[in-house]
Amino acid sequence: MESLVKILNSPIIREELGLLCGIETEIQKLSSLLSATKAVIEDAEHKQFTNKAIQHWLQKLNLIAYEVDDILDDYVTEVSREPKCDNVCCNVLDCLPATSNIWFRHKIGARIKEINGKFDAVAKQRTQLGLSDHTQVGSTAPSETGAVVNEPELVLGRDVEKEKIVEILVKQVKDNQKVSVLPIVGVGGLGKTTLAQLVFNDESIAKHFEPKLWAWVSEKFDVKKIIKDLIESAEKASTGDLALNALQIKLQSLLKGKRYLLVLDDVWNYKKEEWEKLKSVLACGSTGSSIVITTRMEKVAEIMGTLHMHSLLSLSSDQCWSLFWQRAFRLEEANKYPKLEAIGLEIVNKCGGVPLAAKTLGGLLRSTREEKRWNYVKCSEIWNLPQDETDILPALKLSYLTLPVEYRSCFAYCAVFPKGSEIEKEEVIHLWMANGLISSNEMMEVEDVGDAVWTELHNRSLFQDVEKDWSVNVLTFKMHDLVHDLAQFVMNGKHDGRESDRTIRNLTLDWPGDQLTVAFPIRRMAGTDQYSSFLLKCGSLRALTSMGTELSLAVSNLKHLRHLNLSRSDIDELPNSICDLWNLQILNLNYCFQLRSLPKGMRFLRNLRHLCLRGCFNLTHMPSGIGKLTCLRTLSMVVLPLSELRDLNNLRGELTIMHLERIEDKKDAEEACLIKKQSLRELNLYWDSERTVQRYNDKEVLEALKPCPNLQLLHVLGFNGSSFPSWISTVTEVCVGESAAEYIVGVQESTAAAVAMSPSSLKQLELENMPNLKGMLGREVQGTPGVFSQLQSLSFKDCPMLTLPLPRMLSLKELCVDSCPNMAWASISNLTSLNFLTIKNIEGLSCFPEEMLQNLSLLESLQISFCRELNTLPEEGLRGLASLHELHLYGCRNLVSLSMGTTALKSLTHLSIGGSDLTVLPEEVEHFPALQKLDLSGFFNLTSLPDWFGDHLTSLQDLTLRDCPKLETLPSSIQMMTTLQSLTITWCDLLGPRCERGGEEWYKIKHIPDLKIQ
């Protein structure tokens, strides 16, 4: 609705459509109807959950909105279209503006009058339905909470999380001068309040904090009410009607100089200024004072929290079943109804690990033992169950109703994705664009608006399980099953399933299964032999996904199509007819590995914003004129000529340039003008290893491809220059592979060129499969100050000629050396800021020089793996590692002891040893009193653990024994290890069965809370 009003008020509609005789009045009427209807949408959205008539009204309104959208889209398309035919014989009438075409004028006018009649009839019903432009949210508000745990016998699976939070509050922040704020975050109904109640009532908390206060906040962050509730929580009496100032003074008198704990339950506010008003009143306690907040919104946690947020986990299937069983059955009914229990297990799958859902569905069925009723609940969507009997709907729908109106359709749209699926963030934003759910504004492009909407939905815990890339950009996410059900419920409310093929907006064709998926309404249709004829009926289609090997020519008739997704299909060629899709904004061809070419007419897709070609490595060239697509924001891959890139300065994200070995002259590379593309974040430059022309001008070409300094990641593959241009120091992260370079800054480089790399932005450098690499700096520039001055992470892999010493890099935190047998090991001592050192796959190395580990007093983690000839560790060097917390040794079969130098590692908390032929545990291990985690894996000859094990490792919390086939017993002293919280035994054929409940070793380990025996 919002987007339609915006389009109607746009200049192209007001100026052009207004010229049509008699239509201006109809346009004004349509705009007024839209605005008036938009005013009551908020009220209708709230009432649709309980009022079928209003739900049907919204469905009719939605259909009309689609028709209006199509009419306006038709007109804007005709007005904006430029003749794409250069042929002088073309029909001149086809090139005239729509306002000059009498037939088109008449047709568009008639359609607008017709839709106004429909709209008017539906709009009048808003008063009959009692819809108002003032919304009362009270009916959806959750009930007030308190500090007492409701039904404590039904609280399962939260002990570990409770102990973790108690540990933080009682031990980790006890000396903090400022008040600590720990947020608990999760979707509605997951048990945030219950966990906060468990923490609040814990015995350790009661001893540590005085006073303890509780306030239920809910949607409105009313500072005066919160202060009043906190006071009443402490005094157990009403404060009366005091002014804010008096309440502030009274609360401070209760808290001043005391180590207090507050719980602020169910916080929705993310206005920082409101929180600051309350926080200023609370800044009067003693050290260690803490606040626990519960919220559904990560944004709230980010604003209020000072500690890492605790994301609440879903319950396991077993825990959900226990909750359900206790609610659905009586104790004496155990095993009495096996058929009902079997149905109940399936019902529990609906709960998605949400305890509220498990308890509610169990309670719903407690009064009946009829299989028919149980099967009804099993087969029904949660949202279709009686709303007066379930608390799930109010618990979750509040997350929807508190969204800004313009975000709700974006959330509901996500029902198009299968439940439990991994959803690509980029894809969902593109689909929002295609369906007109988001649009640009004065400050942001449409993609940025989509990113802001996604972030808001994620902040509200509606999206979860986020996967990110190297630069912390979100790649994929999931929706909790119940949240997906909510989106499905809302979307079904907008689409009653009676739409004609004409109004289908989203279509997925799954060729292997020969099925169509239509959304919305969501349905599947088998037998798609008439695919082309079906497509011709889908006149309103905005988004089409096809997984086939070819694309129907009928696609060219889909004039409203914005989004065409052919990704991961086996298509090898696109028909030129897709170039008739004037409105196409997104063409997704990612990972179409068979694709050989793009249509010649690509230059006519003037509205194309995203041409996604990631992984299309079979492309041999780009069609002429693609550089005219100046709306492009994404162009994942380019093959020559690079001149097509010259004017595409709005490109963002990732760009891959293939076949750079074909460039004949440096000037051809300069044509790309990469330095003007300020929104590019990732650049991949590839030279083919199989060169048809033995031309090696790689260094000049790379120099000419200088990008904007904003570039975050550079991949260089197959580069055959002897060294690199100075501009690579302006990139944040650089990865080089299969390169013939001998140096990063080479022998032939002048000292001035080396200095040009300083100051540097380069923070991470990965060098792999570089057979000629001798060192980072050529001999002539060794010792040049400032080179790699900002480098924090450095990795070498498969660089057999690497022999020159590492330069002094005072910012370097991480170093990895893999398969570099001639490394100048002693030069590692120059890296005095090093925190993490990894050494792998070094053949022929029996020992490291003693000086290698000298000066590494800040080293926190040392990992040495698959150095098969290594027989000793540098004793004196180890003694200086005062900060070492983690030591990992794996696959070093000749290493018979850890060296007495390890006994000086008093800060060591994590030790893992594996891939060893030792028959006993190295005796040096008993000298690690601070050790908290021990992992022993691949000890193929180990038969037992030493008796001193439990006596000396007094801080051990986590023990893992993996792949120790001869290990049969555990030392008796393990019974004395009261700190041991977790024991994992995997692939230990003899020991595993003995440690099962009732086994010979069970009595030794039964006190350990977390046991995993596989």
Side-chain angles (χ1 to χ4, degrees):
M1 203 64 69
E2 184 84 35
S3 60
L4 291 180
V5 174
K6 186 174 180 180
I7 292 171
L8 277 172
N9 291 319
S10 66
I12 192 169
I13 294 296
R14 285 296 184 192
E15 294 172 15
E16 296 285 352
L17 203 50
L19 295 175
L20 300 184
C21 183
I23 298 303
E24 186 173 7
T25 304
E26 294 293 333
I27 288 292
Q28 290 173 350
K29 182 180 178 182
L30 183 57
S31 182
S32 298
L33 282 170
L34 280 166
S35 297
T37 307
K38 176 173 166 277
V40 301
I41 286 290
E42 174 76 4
D43 194 29
E45 289 269 12
H46 281 74
K47 293 176 178 176
Q48 66 166 323
F49 287 87
T50 54
N51 190 318
K52 283 287 185 185
I54 290 176
Q55 191 178 76
H56 290 150
W57 181 79
L58 282 171
Q59 290 168 355
K60 287 186 280 187
L61 191 65
N62 199 58
L63 282 174
I64 291 172
Y66 276 1
E67 288 191 56
V68 173
D69 193 23
D70 282 353
I71 293 170
L72 298 178
D73 201 41
D74 285 343
Y75 189 78
V76 171
T77 300
E78 290 297 323
V79 171
S80 303
R81 189 190 296 272
E82 294 179 11
K84 68 174 188 177
C85 179
D86 298 325
N87 189 342
V88 294
C89 298
C90 73
N91 190 335
V92 177
L93 286 176
D94 291 340
C95 300
L96 290 175
T99 49
S100 302
N101 189 318
I102 297 173
W103 177 81
F104 184 80
R105 281 166 37 190
H106 173 75
K107 184 179 178 181
I108 208 82
R111 289 173 70 189
I112 291 175
K113 286 180 181 178
E114 180 187 357
I115 202 68
N116 263 342
K118 292 181 184 178
F119 205 166
D120 194 30
V122 173
K124 284 178 180 176
Q125 295 175 10
R126 66 185 186 274
T127 51
Q128 300 167 13
L129 293 168
L131 295 175
S132 165
D133 55 1
H134 301 291
T135 305
Q136 298 296 323
V137 190
S139 61
T140 66
S143 56
E144 185 172 354
T145 65
V148 178
V149 181
N150 295 322
E151 299 180 301
E153 71 280 2
L154 291 181
V155 178
L156 297 174
R158 297 301 182 205
D159 291 343
V160 174
E161 290 178 288
K162 183 200 80 169
E163 292 301 329
K164 182 178 179 181
I165 293 174
V166 169
E167 166 88 10
I168 292 170
L169 298 177
V170 172
K171 295 183 179 179
Q172 295 182 21
V173 302
K174 60 185 175 67
D175 298 321
N176 286 8
Q177 296 296 317
K178 293 184 178 180
V179 63
S180 301
V181 183
L182 189 150
I184 300 173
V185 182
V187 71
L190 198 54
K192 301 181 294 296
T193 297
T194 300
L195 179 57
Q197 290 167 336
L198 292 173
V199 170
F200 190 87
N201 293 294
D202 182 81
E203 187 177 335
S204 301
I205 292 289
K207 292 177 181 177
H208 189 72
F209 293 101
E210 175 60 36
K212 300 187 302 172
L213 312 177
W214 182 287
W216 175 67
V217 180
S218 196
E219 295 159 83
K220 187 177 180 182
F221 197 87
D222 185 333
V223 174
K224 182 177 179 180
K225 180 181 180 301
I226 295 169
I227 293 174
K228 186 174 185 293
D229 289 349
L230 289 171
I231 295 170
E232 291 177 354
S233 172
E235 297 188 335
K236 310 295 189 291
S238 174
T239 60
D241 191 21
L242 294 176
L244 176 61
N245 185 58
L247 289 170
Q248 290 173 331
I249 294 171
K250 191 171 183 64
L251 180 60
Q252 287 193 329
S253 68
L254 289 170
L255 303 180
K256 192 169 185 179
K258 298 177 182 178
R259 183 164 59 203
Y260 65 77
L261 173 69
L262 308 184
V263 173
L264 301 179
D265 187 36
D266 197 22
V267 183
W268 291 74
N269 167 71
Y270 52 82
K271 294 181 180 177
K272 191 171 184 179
E273 58 272 19
E274 293 299 315
W275 164 236
E276 292 294 338
K277 290 177 188 176
L278 179 61
K279 190 168 75 168
S280 62
V281 180
L282 302 176
C284 59
S286 70
T287 57
S289 292
S290 300
I291 301 173
V292 173
I293 67 166
T294 71
T295 180
R296 304 181 188 198
M297 304 169 67
E298 284 195 10
K299 192 171 183 180
V300 171
E302 290 168 3
I303 289 171
M304 297 179 66
T306 63
L307 305 175
H308 184 71
M309 73 178 73
H310 180 86
S311 295
L312 200 58
L313 302 173
S314 299
L315 295 185
S316 68
S317 296
D318 289 344
Q319 291 164 342
C320 269
W321 168 245
S322 295
L323 284 178
F324 176 89
W325 195 96
Q326 289 179 62
R327 273 293 182 92
F329 296 98
R330 296 171 183 84
L331 192 60
E332 64 272 14
E333 293 180 317
N335 303 318
K336 190 175 180 180
Y337 297 100
K339 289 185 178 179
L340 293 186
E341 290 195 13
I343 298 170
L345 285 168
E346 295 186 62
I347 292 173
V348 164
N349 291 333
K350 289 176 172 289
C351 301
V354 174
L356 177 61
K359 290 190 289 186
T360 302
L361 292 179
L364 192 64
L365 294 168
R366 188 175 183 86
S367 60
T368 178
R369 295 296 174 259
E370 293 181 19
E371 284 186 40
K372 183 179 179 181
R373 174 65 173 164
W374 281 59
N375 276 316
Y376 170 75
V377 172
K378 182 190 82 171
C379 297
S380 297
E381 292 293 339
I382 282 178
W383 306 99
N384 294 330
L385 297 175
Q387 294 178 24
D388 57 346
E389 299 181 50
T390 172
D391 297 322
I392 309 168
L393 181 57
L396 284 177
K397 77 177 181 182
L398 195 61
S399 293
Y400 172 75
L401 292 174
T402 54
L403 282 171
V405 175
E406 61 272 22
Y407 290 9
R408 293 179 191 170
S409 293
C410 293
F411 164 70
Y413 183 86
C414 294
V416 71
F417 298 100
K419 186 182 288 188
S421 64
E422 203 170 62
I423 304 169
E424 293 181 11
K425 178 187 174 185
E426 181 181 70
E427 175 71 357
V428 80
I429 291 175
H430 286 172
L431 286 167
W432 289 342
M433 290 168 55
N435 285 274
L437 303 180
I438 54 175
S439 56
S440 60
N441 57 40
E442 294 178 358
M443 301 293 293
M444 302 166 72
E445 294 202 59
V446 62
E447 294 84 2
D448 299 320
V449 171
D451 187 73
V453 172
W454 186 94
T455 301
E456 182 68 14
L457 295 176
H458 178 245
N459 283 339
R460 290 170 180 261
S461 299
L462 295 171
F463 296 156
Q464 62 181 33
D465 296 343
V466 168
E467 295 289 337
K468 299 182 180 181
D469 67 5
W470 57 272
S471 62
V472 204
N473 292 317
V474 174
L475 297 175
T476 62
F477 64 97
K478 290 183 179 180
M479 297 174 73
H480 190 282
D481 284 355
L482 288 183
V483 174
H484 188 278
D485 289 342
L486 172 61
Q488 183 77 70
F489 175 81
V490 173
M491 191 51 71
N492 286 343
K494 294 184 177 184
H495 300 264
D496 63 357
R498 294 179 297 176
E499 289 91 330
S500 67
D501 295 337
R502 189 81 196 153
T503 56
I504 290 172
R505 314 271 287 189
N506 301 268
L507 178 65
T508 296
L509 176 68
D510 184 5
W511 279 94
D514 198 28
Q515 286 190 327
L516 289 172
T517 303
V518 180
F520 298 96
I522 295 177
R523 66 180 187 267
R524 284 188 175 271
M525 296 179 292
T528 55
D529 293 339
Q530 306 301 318
Y531 171 45
S532 294
S533 60
F534 179 78
L535 274 183
L536 291 174
K537 300 177 186 177
C538 301
S540 295
L541 204 64
R542 290 324 196 254
L544 173 64
T545 298
S546 177
M547 304 295 289
T549 56
E550 59 183 33
L551 191 64
S552 169
L553 295 176
V555 169
S556 62
N557 296 306
L558 302 174
K559 58 184 177 181
H560 295 292
L561 198 67
R562 260 78 169 164
H563 182 285
L564 179 56
N565 185 354
L566 305 173
S567 63
R568 294 180 171 84
S569 68
D570 293 329
I571 197 164
D572 59 5
E573 189 176 38
L574 293 175
N576 208 52
S577 57
I578 72 161
C579 301
D580 293 329
L581 299 175
W582 176 263
N583 285 306
L584 195 66
Q585 296 179 358
I586 299 111
L587 178 56
N588 188 347
L589 299 167
N590 283 340
Y591 308 111
C592 291
F593 300 116
Q594 309 303 320
L595 187 66
R596 299 191 308 269
S597 63
L598 297 173
K600 293 180 180 179
M602 289 290 292
R603 66 186 182 280
F604 298 126
L605 296 175
R606 297 296 176 83
N607 290 305
L608 196 65
R609 296 179 69 86
H610 301 280
L611 179 52
C612 307
L613 297 168
R614 190 179 300 125
C616 297
F617 298 120
N618 260 346
L619 277 179
T620 56
H621 64 280
M622 304 300 287
S624 175
I626 206 166
K628 294 181 180 179
L629 303 181
T630 53
C631 286
L632 276 178
R633 298 299 184 269
T634 300
L635 180 57
S636 312
M637 180 181 290
V638 172
V639 189
L640 307 187
L642 296 188
S643 57
E644 295 287 354
L645 287 172
R646 184 190 302 113
D647 298 321
L648 301 181
N649 292 329
N650 291 317
L651 292 181
R652 52 167 62 193
E654 171 191 353
L655 174 63
T656 297
I657 303 179
M658 301 289 295
H659 296 297
L660 288 169
E661 75 283 352
R662 298 181 190 171
I663 294 182
E664 297 182 4
D665 192 274
K666 178 181 179 179
K667 291 180 180 179
D668 297 333
E670 290 174 343
E671 291 275 2
C673 295
L674 294 185
I675 200 165
K676 293 183 179 180
K677 296 162 182 44
Q678 298 187 16
S679 296
L680 276 184
R681 293 294 174 264
E682 179 178 344
L683 179 62
N684 305 308
L685 302 176
Y686 294 162
W687 283 258
D688 199 319
S689 57
E690 297 180 5
R691 306 192 180 203
T692 54
V693 178
Q694 297 303 309
R695 182 190 301 113
Y696 293 98
N697 57 353
D698 297 21
K699 187 174 181 183
E700 291 75 19
V701 169
L702 186 58
E703 180 70 58
L705 292 173
K706 181 178 181 179
C708 176
N710 294 336
L711 195 70
Q712 294 177 357
L713 174 62
L714 172 68
H715 277 109
V716 179
L717 188 68
F719 172 75
N720 274 341
S722 59
S723 58
F724 295 84
S726 59
W727 63 252
I728 69 159
S729 67
T730 66
V731 184
T732 306
E733 180 179 349
V734 176
C735 303
V736 182
E738 299 179 21
S739 169
E742 296 181 347
Y743 308 98
I744 306 303
V745 179
V747 176
Q748 74 277 27
E749 296 276 351
S750 65
T751 303
V755 173
M757 300 183 76
S758 174
S760 170
S761 300
L762 185 61
K763 289 184 169 57
Q764 185 168 336
L765 179 60
E766 296 180 16
L767 306 170
E768 182 175 348
N769 194 8
M770 298 180 66
N772 301 328
L773 186 70
K774 298 177 181 177
M776 298 182 70
L777 298 175
R779 296 189 184 279
E780 285 82 351
V781 290
Q782 287 282 334
T784 304
V787 180
F788 308 114
S789 60
Q790 300 301 312
L791 195 64
Q792 297 178 4
S793 177
L794 175 60
S795 172
F796 298 100
K797 183 177 181 180
D798 292 318
C799 302
M801 300 298 292
L802 185 65
T803 54
L804 292 178
L806 295 175
R808 191 176 297 275
M809 293 176 281
L810 299 182
S811 296
L812 197 71
K813 306 294 183 186
E814 299 180 37
L815 174 64
C816 178
V817 183
D818 184 350
S819 304
C820 303
N822 297 305
M823 175 76 183
W825 299 110
S827 64
I828 291 177
S829 63
N830 292 329
L831 312 175
T832 54
S833 297
L834 204 62
N835 299 141
F836 303 93
L837 174 59
T838 300
I839 300 171
K840 299 191 291 186
N841 300 305
I842 308 298
E843 298 293 335
L845 182 72
S846 59
C847 64
F848 293 106
E850 281 290 340
E851 60 267 33
M852 181 182 84
L853 297 179
Q854 290 177 1
N855 306 321
L856 303 187
S857 59
L858 300 179
L859 194 68
E860 298 175 10
S861 174
L862 174 60
Q863 177 181 334
I864 303 173
S865 57
F866 298 106
C867 298
R868 304 183 195 282
E869 284 80 26
L870 187 68
N871 54 43
T872 183
L873 297 176
E875 184 170 328
E876 289 305 314
L878 286 167
R879 294 185 187 279
L881 302 183
S883 302
L884 196 71
H885 297 308
E886 298 185 17
L887 177 60
H888 306 278
L889 303 167
Y890 196 88
C892 303
R893 294 191 177 279
N894 277 353
L895 195 62
V896 294
S897 70
L898 299 186
S899 152
M900 289 307 294
T902 58
T903 60
L905 303 179
K906 301 302 182 186
S907 298
L908 197 71
T909 57
H910 290 59
L911 173 64
S912 60
I913 311 175
S916 172
D917 292 330
L918 292 176
T919 57
V920 295
L921 192 66
E923 60 181 21
E924 292 88 351
V925 175
E926 69 176 298
H927 299 292
F928 301 143
L931 198 65
Q932 297 175 11
K933 185 173 183 178
L934 176 61
D935 187 326
L936 304 175
S937 56
F939 271 77
F940 304 112
N941 297 316
L942 186 68
T943 57
S944 63
L945 295 176
D947 292 334
W948 51 257
F949 195 84
D951 299 327
H952 288 77
L953 302 182
T954 54
S955 300
L956 198 66
Q957 299 176 13
D958 190 318
L959 173 62
T960 297
L961 303 171
R962 183 186 294 110
D963 201 10
C964 302
K966 295 183 181 179
L967 185 61
E968 189 171 359
T969 62
L970 295 172
S972 298
S973 58
I974 200 170
Q975 299 175 77
M976 304 297 107
M977 300 179 73
T978 56
T979 60
L980 193 59
Q981 298 296 308
S982 176
L983 171 63
T984 301
I985 301 174
T986 306
W987 302 325
C988 297
D989 299 340
L990 298 178
L991 180 63
R994 294 171 61 88
C995 289
E996 297 282 1
R997 186 183 295 271
E1000 296 92 329
E1001 300 291 302
W1002 170 253
Y1003 74 96
K1004 299 179 184 177
I1005 62 173
K1006 63 182 181 180
H1007 67 286
I1008 303 172
D1010 185 16
L1011 289 172
K1012 299 185 185 72
I1013 302 172
Q1014 300 172 351

